[in-house]
Every structure is written in structure tokens, then in C-alpha cells.
Amino acid sequence: MSTPTTERKPIGIDCRHALYAEANDGSKDDVLFVKEYIHFDDGSIEMNLRQYENRKRPFWITVESKRKNKYKKESELLSNLRKYECRQSELVDKISSVLYGRRADSRTRLQYLNRSPYLYGTDITPTCLLKSQYLAKWPEFQNKTEATIASFDIETDVVKGHEQIICISVTMGKKCILRYTKDFVGHIADAVEKTHRKIRQYLAERINTEENPNLFEEYEYDVAVVDTPGQAVSACLKFAHHHKPDYMVGWNIAYDIPRMIQALEREGYDAADEFSDPSVPQRYRFLKWTLPKLQKIAASGRVTNLGVEQTWPMLECLASFQFMDAMGGYWQIRAQAPKEPNYKLDGVLERNKVHAKLKDIPGTEGMKELDWHIEMQENHPIEYGVYNLWDNQGIEALNAKTKDYSLKIPLRLGASDLRDFSSNPKRICDKLFMFYMSRKRVFGCTADDMSQEEDKWVISRTGHIVTLPCDLMTDNGIILFADMPRLRSYFRLFVADQF
């Protein structure tokens, strides 16, 4: 007689990531790549990667009888709108067809079409819309568990002049990988064994705790020497795809990412293949690297220079993880706090009472910056690999203390896309879209030109303070002394709202 088994049942799904890609074969097919955490009634949680192919998204246009407004509105009643649906890849063509009865040409951009005062809901991305639907259906499960992070770092040559990657590492909790190139340590006998000894020598005391004095023994370090920088990068990306963290974080990734891509492409690798999850169909694999903007230009034209820590570089691809700049994230969380002395990893670790960078290597005392790196690469290459490892584990230790990357940023992000994390207005607009939908209204959309004819009558907020030449002014300033009424100041009092 067989014993009946009780199957576990899913009770909610947490959408950790939603990513979008259009097919690269010209078919106009597109896909939403989603990383889910499925929660079951027995308390277990299972990670799942899901793909929604050719999923339609909505947009709305005012019905003809209600088109009485000359300019754009912030929102409109659903009852005054007609809903349309299409794939994101055909959104521009569909809007043009509905509004103007013709297909858009290749130069037409969505923000140009958004000039129409009768178009609504196009600013919301399909990824944000999908995450919002998960949030609405299973609100109690969204970000219920902390995000998992892996940290990565590269070191490049400063001795031989080729400036290529000489070692790279990724750490994710107790799983770690370090890859040297032969150009860097090929001349050292037993480089892997020596690295393991140095890891124990330098990192055991940093990892062990009072609660668990043997914690270091639980860590696994995969160390190897490969022929080329491209092979090293490829091995570390395979490690990340295997362990599937939620975020791949690095300190100032604007330095690391371009060099990783260059190393792959120089050796004939397809960088999009290497960065994409192996489950992604070939025609949806892509790689988009957005350089950090070191200037912010306001609508008024005012230009503000930004520090590197204030930027938000972005690498986009379809993977189980998203890349995040740890330095930028650290600053974003503390943007309203007093500015810190610097945002170098060493300084941040010290101020947060986390073990600082591994620089106390015998023979390098008193050396700083470039001189220290030259000395390490020439005379202490094995210790240099261990130093590279600790940069990653230091970031993980920082996160364990602050929860910046595993909790605070995902919670603040909400349903918005990671690339928009540094834009408070965009994240607010994403929330406003769902807020208006809950009240049977649709949020408007922004165009490339939001000006109106009446704008010319608006009084400028600048130029109100005018300095006049003193010798041409009437001597009617403020009387300084009652007994000397002819002695007046050059200050004048004028009140315009007394009536």
C-alpha cells in the first residue's frame, strides 16, 4: 500500500528582475526575461527564470468626442480613453497608425509622438508594468527575502605597458573564483598552491568571527591560471551564470566593464553571448553599456559637474543578475547626508568599520597609489591576487553591515527599472502611473518638447535682483541716524504687495 504524497503548492511569486530585449533578426519579436522567486506553502523558495515572448503592453488615446484640450494633461479618466495593445517593439508604428493613419518612418521617435495631447501611458516601460502586476497580485512577497549579491573586480597591468587584465575574481558568499593570466604569473612555479597558502595567511583572520572562529574553513576558492584575459573573464562570467546572484556589484564598474568587454572582443568572443544567461535564445542576446554621465543638465540649461560616485553607469543584458555600481549605489543611498571625505573603497570600508583593503604587505610599507601597484605586480604577484579577492569580499562585508545592495536599493527601486534608480522623477512617475490606474485614470507621458504658447508670459525665476550704479541714484536711501536725516544709506526698501 503506497503512502500518499502531498505536493507543495505555490502561494506567491516575487519578481526580482524583469528585463526586455528585441530580437536581433529583424523580426520585431521581443521578450521579457524575468527572474522569479516562487514561495511555496511549506516555506520553501525556488528561483525560476521565465520568458514572456511577444507580450503586449497598453497605451491609451483620447476618444474623439473628448479631444477638447489644446495641451497635454497630467492624467485622464479611463472612461475618456480608448485602450490599445501592442508589442513594445511595434509601439511607435502602432501609435502613429492610430493617431495619424500611417506607419512611422525609421526616424520617428516615441518622444516625438508623445507631443500629442491625446496620448497617455507610453512612459511606463513593459518591464516596470510587468513588475507592477506581480506587486499588485502578490504584494506580501515582493522583496520578502534579501537579494543575493556577488562582487567582481579586475586588475590591469601597470608594468609591461599593455594595460590588459592580469587577474579577475568574483566572490559570492563562500564561493569564490580567481583567474590569473599566464602573462602575469606564468613564470611562478606552483602559483595556484601558493595562492591558496596566501589566502589562508591573509584572509582567514578577516573572515573568522568570534561566533565562528573556523568560518574560513567553509569558504571555497577556485584558483587557476589561464592563457589570456578573455579566458579569465569568460571563466568568471560562467561562474556567475552558474550561481545566479541577483546583482553583480563592483566598485566603480566604469573602469572594469569596458575592459572586460574589450578583453572578450579582442580574442573573438561574442561579448553578448558571454554576458547573457545560457537559457536566452541567441536572437535575444544583446549587450548595452551606458557610460556614466559626468554632467547633469537641468531643463533650464544649468550644467552641474558630477563626481564619479554620483554617476550611475549601466550594463544591460539578459541574465539572472543585473550589474550594479557599488560606489554609485553607496552614494545614492546617502545622497542627502553630508558628503564624506572620499568615496574610495578603502575609505568607505574604514568609515564603516569593515576590514580595509589588503595593503599591509611586507615590502610595500610607505608606498602609495601607482608605486604600490607597480611594486606588487613586479615582486608580490600572488599577494596581488589575494588583494584582488579581498576587494570583493570587502564589498560583501560592507553590504552585510549596511544592507545597501541586498535590501535598501531593491526596496527603493520598487517596480522601476534599475537603470532609473538614480532618477527620482522617473521612479516617482512609475509609482504615479500605478496610483492613477488604481483611481481609474491614466498618467500622461513626456515629450521631447513640452513647451506651450503661453510659456512666454511666465515670469522668469532669475534676473529679479538688479545692481544699479550708485552715482545715478536719487539720494533717498534709508536714514541711518535720526539726528542726521541727510545721511542716508544706499539700501532701499520697496514693498509691492502692501495692497
Side-chain angles (χ1 to χ4, degrees):
M1 183 175 177
S2 61
T3 304
T5 59
T6 303
E7 292 187 3
R8 60 179 184 169
K9 297 179 181 179
I11 57 175
I13 303 177
D14 173 11
C15 178
R16 189 55 52 90
H17 300 313
L19 310 167
Y20 172 83
E22 184 176 338
N24 53 32
D25 57 7
S27 64
K28 283 289 186 179
D29 289 335
D30 58 13
V31 69
L32 289 170
F33 186 80
V34 179
K35 184 176 188 179
E36 305 173 334
Y37 284 97
I38 304 174
H39 294 253
F40 294 91
D41 56 359
D42 63 356
S44 60
I45 303 173
E46 185 176 295
M47 189 276 292
N48 180 56
L49 299 178
R50 189 188 301 272
Q51 298 180 36
Y52 295 93
E53 196 166 14
N54 292 322
R55 183 184 177 91
K56 292 186 177 182
R57 53 85 38 83
F59 67 94
W60 293 260
I61 292 178
T62 310
V63 297
E64 289 78 358
S65 61
K66 299 295 182 179
R67 296 183 183 181
K68 298 177 180 179
N69 53 301
K70 183 178 179 181
Y71 298 119
K72 297 183 73 66
K73 293 182 179 181
E74 181 176 304
S75 67
E76 181 59 278
L77 289 167
L78 269 172
S79 57
N80 293 338
L81 301 171
R82 185 176 291 114
K83 181 180 179 181
Y84 297 87
E85 291 186 323
C86 66
R87 296 175 297 181
Q88 179 69 20
S89 60
E90 58 187 4
L91 182 61
V92 170
D93 281 341
K94 184 69 173 179
I95 292 172
S96 181
S97 177
V98 174
L99 278 177
Y100 307 114
R102 63 178 184 272
R103 287 176 59 88
D105 61 37
S106 59
R107 296 172 297 175
T108 303
R109 297 292 178 262
L110 179 60
Q111 285 208 314
Y112 174 79
L113 295 175
N114 283 351
R115 292 183 182 184
S116 170
Y118 312 123
L119 181 60
Y120 294 85
T122 62
D123 279 353
I124 191 81
T125 63
T127 46
C128 179
L129 188 61
L130 181 59
K131 286 182 71 176
S132 297
Q133 291 168 347
Y134 275 85
L135 180 61
K137 189 171 183 179
W138 297 291
E140 68 275 23
F141 292 99
Q142 303 311 305
N143 292 305
K144 188 174 182 179
T145 58
E146 287 188 31
T148 56
I149 71 164
S151 185
F152 71 100
D153 188 32
I154 68 169
E155 304 299 338
T156 57
D157 167 71
V158 294
V159 174
K160 299 180 180 179
H162 56 67
E163 299 182 354
Q164 294 184 29
I165 293 173
I166 55 176
C167 70
I168 178 174
S169 64
V170 180
T171 64
M172 183 179 174
K174 298 173 183 176
K175 305 288 185 180
C176 313
I177 182 173
L178 170 65
R179 288 293 181 267
Y180 295 110
T181 63
K182 280 187 176 179
D183 176 71
F184 184 46
V185 298
H187 62 287
I188 300 175
D190 302 323
V192 172
E193 291 74 10
K194 289 178 179 177
T195 299
H196 281 292
R197 290 199 293 271
K198 292 296 183 181
I199 288 173
R200 177 176 293 277
Q201 176 184 341
Y202 287 108
L203 301 189
E205 63 177 357
R206 291 174 173 239
I207 292 172
N208 290 334
T209 64
E210 292 183 4
E211 296 78 13
N212 188 348
N214 296 311
L215 182 60
F216 173 77
E217 305 303 328
E218 300 174 19
Y219 279 67
E220 298 177 13
Y221 291 90
D222 175 4
V223 182
V225 181
V226 295
D227 291 333
T228 66
Q231 290 176 3
V233 173
S234 179
C236 286
L237 288 174
K238 285 181 172 61
F239 172 91
H241 289 311
H242 176 73
H243 291 288
K244 293 179 168 49
D246 295 328
Y247 294 102
M248 284 278 284
V249 301
W251 203 266
N252 188 19
I253 66 173
Y255 179 85
D256 301 69
I257 293 295
R259 287 162 177 80
M260 292 168 65
I261 296 173
Q262 290 167 7
L264 292 169
E265 293 179 341
R266 187 183 294 115
E267 297 172 31
Y269 288 91
D270 186 324
D273 282 349
E274 295 297 316
F275 279 88
S276 298
D277 189 85
S279 67
V280 175
Q282 191 71 37
R283 67 194 191 119
Y284 288 124
R285 297 184 181 186
F286 80 103
L287 189 67
K288 180 182 178 183
W289 166 243
T290 303
L291 287 167
K293 297 179 180 179
L294 295 174
Q295 288 185 331
K296 181 170 68 174
I297 303 176
S300 63
R302 179 184 178 186
V303 178
T304 303
N305 293 323
L306 302 176
V308 179
E309 71 279 357
Q310 296 173 280
T311 63
W312 192 244
M314 199 68 210
L315 180 76
E316 297 175 72
C317 60
L318 298 190
S320 60
F321 45 81
Q322 292 194 77
F323 284 85
M324 184 195 300
D325 183 24
M327 178 172 62
Y330 180 86
W331 184 87
Q332 292 288 341
I333 292 294
R334 296 159 184 80
Q336 304 307 316
K339 187 175 181 179
E340 297 189 12
N342 63 67
Y343 290 90
K344 294 180 179 180
L345 179 56
D346 212 21
V348 170
L349 294 178
E350 287 182 358
R351 286 190 293 276
N352 285 276
K353 295 181 171 43
V354 177
H355 283 295
K357 282 183 167 236
L358 185 63
K359 286 190 172 182
D360 50 345
I361 306 298
T364 65
E365 296 84 353
M367 294 184 179
K368 294 182 179 180
E369 303 300 335
L370 183 59
D371 289 339
W372 185 88
H373 286 275
I374 292 174
E375 170 65 21
M376 289 293 291
Q377 290 186 18
E378 286 184 334
N379 301 313
H380 312 277
I382 299 300
E383 288 88 343
Y384 200 55
V386 181
Y387 156 83
N388 177 258
L389 273 169
W390 181 254
D391 274 7
N392 295 330
Q393 293 182 299
I395 293 174
E396 290 189 86
L398 175 68
N399 178 72
K401 195 162 192 176
T402 65
K403 305 296 183 184
D404 283 352
Y405 316 118
S406 60
L407 195 59
K408 292 179 182 177
I409 289 177
L411 285 174
R412 289 194 186 185
L413 189 63
S416 296
D417 298 328
L418 183 62
R419 66 172 173 270
D420 296 323
F421 180 71
S422 62
S423 174
N424 283 329
K426 183 62 174 73
R427 288 190 286 123
I428 291 171
C429 286
D430 289 340
K431 292 177 182 177
L432 280 174
F433 179 89
M434 303 312 298
F435 171 82
Y436 277 119
M437 287 298 292
S438 68
R439 284 155 176 75
K440 300 188 183 304
R441 300 185 72 93
V442 182
F443 194 43
C445 50
T446 54
D448 56 358
D449 183 3
M450 299 289 286
S451 61
Q452 301 178 5
E453 184 180 346
E454 287 79 5
D455 287 349
K456 63 185 178 181
W457 303 113
V458 177
I459 298 174
S460 171
R461 291 178 293 176
T462 61
H464 290 174
I465 299 176
V466 180
T467 302
L468 300 174
C470 297
D471 60 314
L472 299 180
M473 295 173 64
T474 303
D475 191 14
N476 61 354
I478 301 171
I479 297 174
L480 296 175
F481 304 101
D483 295 336
M484 303 173 67
R486 293 184 180 181
L487 181 60
R488 295 173 178 266
S489 74
Y490 281 114
F491 289 96
R492 269 74 175 172
L493 292 179
F494 176 75
V495 181
D497 60 352
Q498 57 185 321
F499 298 108

PDB file of all heavy atoms in Angstrom, residues 405-427:
ATOM      1  N   TYR A 405      22.997  46.964  -0.912  1.00  0.00           N
ATOM      2  CA  TYR A 405      22.785  46.334  -2.214  1.00  0.00           C
ATOM      3  C   TYR A 405      21.784  45.180  -2.168  1.00  0.00           C
ATOM      4  O   TYR A 405      21.141  44.898  -3.176  1.00  0.00           O
ATOM      5  CB  TYR A 405      24.121  45.844  -2.770  1.00  0.00           C
ATOM      6  CG  TYR A 405      25.228  46.863  -2.585  1.00  0.00           C
ATOM      7  CD1 TYR A 405      26.361  46.603  -1.811  1.00  0.00           C
ATOM      8  CD2 TYR A 405      25.099  48.135  -3.146  1.00  0.00           C
ATOM      9  CE1 TYR A 405      27.342  47.556  -1.619  1.00  0.00           C
ATOM     10  CE2 TYR A 405      26.078  49.100  -2.956  1.00  0.00           C
ATOM     11  CZ  TYR A 405      27.193  48.812  -2.188  1.00  0.00           C
ATOM     12  OH  TYR A 405      28.155  49.774  -1.980  1.00  0.00           O
ATOM     13  N   SER A 406      21.658  44.550  -1.042  1.00  0.00           N
ATOM     14  CA  SER A 406      20.763  43.399  -0.940  1.00  0.00           C
ATOM     15  C   SER A 406      19.354  43.777  -0.478  1.00  0.00           C
ATOM     16  O   SER A 406      18.414  43.019  -0.686  1.00  0.00           O
ATOM     17  CB  SER A 406      21.337  42.367   0.044  1.00  0.00           C
ATOM     18  OG  SER A 406      21.478  42.935   1.341  1.00  0.00           O
ATOM     19  N   LEU A 407      19.197  44.964   0.113  1.00  0.00           N
ATOM     20  CA  LEU A 407      17.889  45.311   0.671  1.00  0.00           C
ATOM     21  C   LEU A 407      17.461  46.745   0.355  1.00  0.00           C
ATOM     22  O   LEU A 407      16.383  46.976  -0.209  1.00  0.00           O
ATOM     23  CB  LEU A 407      17.902  45.095   2.192  1.00  0.00           C
ATOM     24  CG  LEU A 407      16.539  45.066   2.894  1.00  0.00           C
ATOM     25  CD1 LEU A 407      15.671  43.951   2.327  1.00  0.00           C
ATOM     26  CD2 LEU A 407      16.719  44.874   4.395  1.00  0.00           C
ATOM     27  N   LYS A 408      18.288  47.728   0.692  1.00  0.00           N
ATOM     28  CA  LYS A 408      17.864  49.124   0.570  1.00  0.00           C
ATOM     29  C   LYS A 408      17.592  49.529  -0.874  1.00  0.00           C
ATOM     30  O   LYS A 408      16.556  50.135  -1.175  1.00  0.00           O
ATOM     31  CB  LYS A 408      18.920  50.044   1.193  1.00  0.00           C
ATOM     32  CG  LYS A 408      19.027  49.920   2.703  1.00  0.00           C
ATOM     33  CD  LYS A 408      20.111  50.828   3.255  1.00  0.00           C
ATOM     34  CE  LYS A 408      20.246  50.671   4.762  1.00  0.00           C
ATOM     35  NZ  LYS A 408      21.353  51.511   5.316  1.00  0.00           N
ATOM     36  N   ILE A 409      18.516  49.213  -1.763  1.00  0.00           N
ATOM     37  CA  ILE A 409      18.321  49.598  -3.168  1.00  0.00           C
ATOM     38  C   ILE A 409      17.148  48.854  -3.789  1.00  0.00           C
ATOM     39  O   ILE A 409      16.291  49.481  -4.434  1.00  0.00           O
ATOM     40  CB  ILE A 409      19.617  49.410  -3.971  1.00  0.00           C
ATOM     41  CG1 ILE A 409      20.637  50.487  -3.556  1.00  0.00           C
ATOM     42  CG2 ILE A 409      19.353  49.461  -5.478  1.00  0.00           C
ATOM     43  CD1 ILE A 409      21.980  50.374  -4.232  1.00  0.00           C
ATOM     44  N   PRO A 410      17.011  47.522  -3.619  1.00  0.00           N
ATOM     45  CA  PRO A 410      15.827  46.855  -4.179  1.00  0.00           C
ATOM     46  C   PRO A 410      14.510  47.407  -3.636  1.00  0.00           C
ATOM     47  O   PRO A 410      13.535  47.539  -4.381  1.00  0.00           O
ATOM     48  CB  PRO A 410      16.023  45.391  -3.763  1.00  0.00           C
ATOM     49  CG  PRO A 410      17.502  45.235  -3.644  1.00  0.00           C
ATOM     50  CD  PRO A 410      17.982  46.544  -3.095  1.00  0.00           C
ATOM     51  N   LEU A 411      14.466  47.750  -2.338  1.00  0.00           N
ATOM     52  CA  LEU A 411      13.239  48.293  -1.772  1.00  0.00           C
ATOM     53  C   LEU A 411      12.917  49.666  -2.352  1.00  0.00           C
ATOM     54  O   LEU A 411      11.765  49.969  -2.684  1.00  0.00           O
ATOM     55  CB  LEU A 411      13.343  48.373  -0.248  1.00  0.00           C
ATOM     56  CG  LEU A 411      13.212  47.042   0.502  1.00  0.00           C
ATOM     57  CD1 LEU A 411      13.491  47.245   1.987  1.00  0.00           C
ATOM     58  CD2 LEU A 411      11.836  46.429   0.297  1.00  0.00           C
ATOM     59  N   ARG A 412      13.933  50.517  -2.478  1.00  0.00           N
ATOM     60  CA  ARG A 412      13.707  51.849  -3.058  1.00  0.00           C
ATOM     61  C   ARG A 412      13.358  51.761  -4.533  1.00  0.00           C
ATOM     62  O   ARG A 412      12.601  52.575  -5.056  1.00  0.00           O
ATOM     63  CB  ARG A 412      14.942  52.726  -2.870  1.00  0.00           C
ATOM     64  CG  ARG A 412      15.183  53.165  -1.439  1.00  0.00           C
ATOM     65  CD  ARG A 412      16.194  54.294  -1.398  1.00  0.00           C
ATOM     66  NE  ARG A 412      16.564  54.640  -0.038  1.00  0.00           N
ATOM     67  CZ  ARG A 412      17.358  55.655   0.268  1.00  0.00           C
ATOM     68  NH1 ARG A 412      17.869  56.414  -0.686  1.00  0.00           N
ATOM     69  NH2 ARG A 412      17.657  55.911   1.529  1.00  0.00           N
ATOM     70  N   LEU A 413      13.914  50.776  -5.200  1.00  0.00           N
ATOM     71  CA  LEU A 413      13.676  50.633  -6.625  1.00  0.00           C
ATOM     72  C   LEU A 413      12.221  50.309  -6.914  1.00  0.00           C
ATOM     73  O   LEU A 413      11.643  50.824  -7.875  1.00  0.00           O
ATOM     74  CB  LEU A 413      14.591  49.537  -7.179  1.00  0.00           C
ATOM     75  CG  LEU A 413      14.638  49.371  -8.697  1.00  0.00           C
ATOM     76  CD1 LEU A 413      15.184  50.628  -9.350  1.00  0.00           C
ATOM     77  CD2 LEU A 413      15.498  48.158  -9.049  1.00  0.00           C
ATOM     78  N   GLY A 414      11.608  49.482  -6.080  1.00  0.00           N
ATOM     79  CA  GLY A 414      10.215  49.109  -6.304  1.00  0.00           C
ATOM     80  C   GLY A 414      10.058  48.404  -7.634  1.00  0.00           C
ATOM     81  O   GLY A 414      10.816  47.498  -7.987  1.00  0.00           O
ATOM     82  N   ALA A 415       9.083  48.849  -8.441  1.00  0.00           N
ATOM     83  CA  ALA A 415       8.837  48.240  -9.743  1.00  0.00           C
ATOM     84  C   ALA A 415       9.649  48.895 -10.849  1.00  0.00           C
ATOM     85  O   ALA A 415       9.620  48.433 -11.993  1.00  0.00           O
ATOM     86  CB  ALA A 415       7.345  48.311 -10.073  1.00  0.00           C
ATOM     87  N   SER A 416      10.377  49.955 -10.542  1.00  0.00           N
ATOM     88  CA  SER A 416      11.125  50.682 -11.568  1.00  0.00           C
ATOM     89  C   SER A 416      12.317  49.866 -12.071  1.00  0.00           C
ATOM     90  O   SER A 416      12.774  48.924 -11.422  1.00  0.00           O
ATOM     91  CB  SER A 416      11.621  52.026 -11.026  1.00  0.00           C
ATOM     92  OG  SER A 416      10.546  52.876 -10.696  1.00  0.00           O
ATOM     93  N   ASP A 417      12.816  50.246 -13.236  1.00  0.00           N
ATOM     94  CA  ASP A 417      13.995  49.592 -13.805  1.00  0.00           C
ATOM     95  C   ASP A 417      15.253  50.067 -13.090  1.00  0.00           C
ATOM     96  O   ASP A 417      15.347  51.229 -12.686  1.00  0.00           O
ATOM     97  CB  ASP A 417      14.105  49.912 -15.293  1.00  0.00           C
ATOM     98  CG  ASP A 417      12.913  49.405 -16.088  1.00  0.00           C
ATOM     99  OD1 ASP A 417      12.347  48.363 -15.691  1.00  0.00           O
ATOM    100  OD2 ASP A 417      12.541  50.042 -17.091  1.00  0.00           O
ATOM    101  N   LEU A 418      16.242  49.173 -12.973  1.00  0.00           N
ATOM    102  CA  LEU A 418      17.468  49.510 -12.261  1.00  0.00           C
ATOM    103  C   LEU A 418      18.170  50.709 -12.890  1.00  0.00           C
ATOM    104  O   LEU A 418      18.766  51.522 -12.194  1.00  0.00           O
ATOM    105  CB  LEU A 418      18.405  48.301 -12.227  1.00  0.00           C
ATOM    106  CG  LEU A 418      19.712  48.485 -11.443  1.00  0.00           C
ATOM    107  CD1 LEU A 418      19.421  48.774  -9.966  1.00  0.00           C
ATOM    108  CD2 LEU A 418      20.612  47.270 -11.589  1.00  0.00           C
ATOM    109  N   ARG A 419      18.094  50.839 -14.209  1.00  0.00           N
ATOM    110  CA  ARG A 419      18.771  51.969 -14.860  1.00  0.00           C
ATOM    111  C   ARG A 419      18.184  53.312 -14.422  1.00  0.00           C
ATOM    112  O   ARG A 419      18.824  54.354 -14.577  1.00  0.00           O
ATOM    113  CB  ARG A 419      18.688  51.838 -16.381  1.00  0.00           C
ATOM    114  CG  ARG A 419      17.291  51.955 -16.961  1.00  0.00           C
ATOM    115  CD  ARG A 419      17.334  52.002 -18.485  1.00  0.00           C
ATOM    116  NE  ARG A 419      15.991  51.950 -19.056  1.00  0.00           N
ATOM    117  CZ  ARG A 419      15.364  50.842 -19.383  1.00  0.00           C
ATOM    118  NH1 ARG A 419      15.975  49.671 -19.216  1.00  0.00           N
ATOM    119  NH2 ARG A 419      14.143  50.863 -19.879  1.00  0.00           N
ATOM    120  N   ASP A 420      16.963  53.302 -13.868  1.00  0.00           N
ATOM    121  CA  ASP A 420      16.309  54.532 -13.432  1.00  0.00           C
ATOM    122  C   ASP A 420      16.469  54.792 -11.943  1.00  0.00           C
ATOM    123  O   ASP A 420      15.864  55.724 -11.413  1.00  0.00           O
ATOM    124  CB  ASP A 420      14.807  54.489 -13.774  1.00  0.00           C
ATOM    125  CG  ASP A 420      14.554  54.431 -15.269  1.00  0.00           C
ATOM    126  OD1 ASP A 420      15.312  55.093 -15.998  1.00  0.00           O
ATOM    127  OD2 ASP A 420      13.626  53.726 -15.702  1.00  0.00           O
ATOM    128  N   PHE A 421      17.294  53.982 -11.257  1.00  0.00           N
ATOM    129  CA  PHE A 421      17.403  54.139  -9.806  1.00  0.00           C
ATOM    130  C   PHE A 421      17.922  55.512  -9.419  1.00  0.00           C
ATOM    131  O   PHE A 421      17.530  56.075  -8.394  1.00  0.00           O
ATOM    132  CB  PHE A 421      18.309  53.056  -9.221  1.00  0.00           C
ATOM    133  CG  PHE A 421      18.469  53.168  -7.730  1.00  0.00           C
ATOM    134  CD1 PHE A 421      17.414  52.862  -6.885  1.00  0.00           C
ATOM    135  CD2 PHE A 421      19.661  53.594  -7.169  1.00  0.00           C
ATOM    136  CE1 PHE A 421      17.539  52.982  -5.507  1.00  0.00           C
ATOM    137  CE2 PHE A 421      19.797  53.721  -5.796  1.00  0.00           C
ATOM    138  CZ  PHE A 421      18.730  53.413  -4.969  1.00  0.00           C
ATOM    139  N   SER A 422      18.804  56.078 -10.224  1.00  0.00           N
ATOM    140  CA  SER A 422      19.387  57.382  -9.885  1.00  0.00           C
ATOM    141  C   SER A 422      18.464  58.543 -10.241  1.00  0.00           C
ATOM    142  O   SER A 422      18.794  59.694  -9.952  1.00  0.00           O
ATOM    143  CB  SER A 422      20.729  57.570 -10.611  1.00  0.00           C
ATOM    144  OG  SER A 422      20.533  57.564 -12.018  1.00  0.00           O
ATOM    145  N   SER A 423      17.314  58.269 -10.839  1.00  0.00           N
ATOM    146  CA  SER A 423      16.380  59.319 -11.254  1.00  0.00           C
ATOM    147  C   SER A 423      15.131  59.286 -10.377  1.00  0.00           C
ATOM    148  O   SER A 423      14.213  58.493 -10.616  1.00  0.00           O
ATOM    149  CB  SER A 423      15.999  59.149 -12.721  1.00  0.00           C
ATOM    150  OG  SER A 423      14.988  60.063 -13.095  1.00  0.00           O
ATOM    151  N   ASN A 424      15.098  60.147  -9.364  1.00  0.00           N
ATOM    152  CA  ASN A 424      13.905  60.208  -8.518  1.00  0.00           C
ATOM    153  C   ASN A 424      12.653  60.565  -9.305  1.00  0.00           C
ATOM    154  O   ASN A 424      11.590  59.975  -9.081  1.00  0.00           O
ATOM    155  CB  ASN A 424      14.116  61.206  -7.378  1.00  0.00           C
ATOM    156  CG  ASN A 424      14.983  60.639  -6.270  1.00  0.00           C
ATOM    157  OD1 ASN A 424      14.989  59.443  -6.015  1.00  0.00           O
ATOM    158  ND2 ASN A 424      15.744  61.497  -5.617  1.00  0.00           N
ATOM    159  N   PRO A 425      12.705  61.544 -10.241  1.00  0.00           N
ATOM    160  CA  PRO A 425      11.499  61.864 -11.017  1.00  0.00           C
ATOM    161  C   PRO A 425      10.946  60.663 -11.777  1.00  0.00           C
ATOM    162  O   PRO A 425       9.730  60.454 -11.817  1.00  0.00           O
ATOM    163  CB  PRO A 425      11.971  62.967 -11.965  1.00  0.00           C
ATOM    164  CG  PRO A 425      13.113  63.608 -11.259  1.00  0.00           C
ATOM    165  CD  PRO A 425      13.803  62.491 -10.544  1.00  0.00           C
ATOM    166  N   LYS A 426      11.830  59.852 -12.390  1.00  0.00           N
ATOM    167  CA  LYS A 426      11.353  58.698 -13.149  1.00  0.00           C
ATOM    168  C   LYS A 426      10.719  57.673 -12.231  1.00  0.00           C
ATOM    169  O   LYS A 426       9.657  57.101 -12.551  1.00  0.00           O
ATOM    170  CB  LYS A 426      12.511  58.065 -13.923  1.00  0.00           C
ATOM    171  CG  LYS A 426      12.090  56.885 -14.807  1.00  0.00           C
ATOM    172  CD  LYS A 426      11.116  57.323 -15.877  1.00  0.00           C
ATOM    173  CE  LYS A 426      10.788  56.207 -16.867  1.00  0.00           C
ATOM    174  NZ  LYS A 426       9.913  55.165 -16.275  1.00  0.00           N
ATOM    175  N   ARG A 427      11.317  57.419 -11.083  1.00  0.00           N
ATOM    176  CA  ARG A 427      10.738  56.442 -10.162  1.00  0.00           C
ATOM    177  C   ARG A 427       9.408  56.935  -9.606  1.00  0.00           C
ATOM    178  O   ARG A 427       8.476  56.143  -9.401  1.00  0.00           O
ATOM    179  CB  ARG A 427      11.723  56.144  -9.026  1.00  0.00           C
ATOM    180  CG  ARG A 427      12.912  55.306  -9.484  1.00  0.00           C
ATOM    181  CD  ARG A 427      13.749  54.800  -8.338  1.00  0.00           C
ATOM    182  NE  ARG A 427      14.553  55.839  -7.749  1.00  0.00           N
ATOM    183  CZ  ARG A 427      14.523  56.194  -6.471  1.00  0.00           C
ATOM    184  NH1 ARG A 427      13.678  55.602  -5.641  1.00  0.00           N
ATOM    185  NH2 ARG A 427      15.317  57.140  -6.014  1.00  0.00           N
TER     186      ARG A 427
END
